[in-house]
Amino acid sequence: EPMFKTALQRTQAKHPGVFGCLQCRGLVAGLQVVKPGTREPDAETATKINVACFQRGLLMFAPVGVAGECLKICPPLSIPEEMLAESLQVFDEACDAVLG
């Protein structure tokens, strides 16, 4: 879990105006997407990140949350550490591609 949460915190820190709170328990995490500089949910950008992950071969749950603004990150519990690291790298690249 520490590598999982640390990698997500690193991605969150790269885009502080867009990512709100990160909740993480074990291998289940939620990362809130907000309109830049606000606390207003941004479901459209969350969906774009989700699609960018899919286009790179990373299958994600559909965004969740009250307004559909939360990226749900939940790899299988049996995932090998190398695959988890690769998945987190793909997630980071997808975020960079969408958020610039």
Side-chain angles (χ1 to χ4, degrees):
E1 180 210 335
M3 181 260 282
F4 179 64
K5 187 173 185 178
T6 301
L8 293 174
Q9 287 171 327
R10 196 171 19 248
T11 299
Q12 179 187 28
K14 286 170 68 177
H15 307 284
V18 176
F19 289 132
C21 79
L22 168 67
Q23 297 293 325
C24 193
R25 294 251 191 240
L27 284 181
V28 178
L31 184 55
Q32 183 189 36
V33 181
V34 295
K35 294 186 178 169
T38 74
R39 296 176 113 187
E40 189 179 338
D42 189 348
E44 185 179 335
T45 300
T47 299
K48 286 179 183 175
I49 292 169
N50 205 330
V51 169
C53 288
F54 176 73
Q55 291 169 337
R56 288 163 175 75
L58 181 61
L59 189 58
M60 304 261 291
F61 286 93
V64 298
V66 176
E69 82 287 4
C70 187
L71 296 167
K72 182 177 180 183
I73 305 149
C74 185
L77 294 177
S78 60
I79 190 169
E81 194 169 329
E82 316 81 57
M83 288 183 120
L84 179 60
E86 182 181 335
S87 298
L88 290 165
Q89 180 63 38
V90 171
F91 177 74
D92 187 69
E93 290 168 7
C95 291
D96 288 346
V98 171
L99 303 174

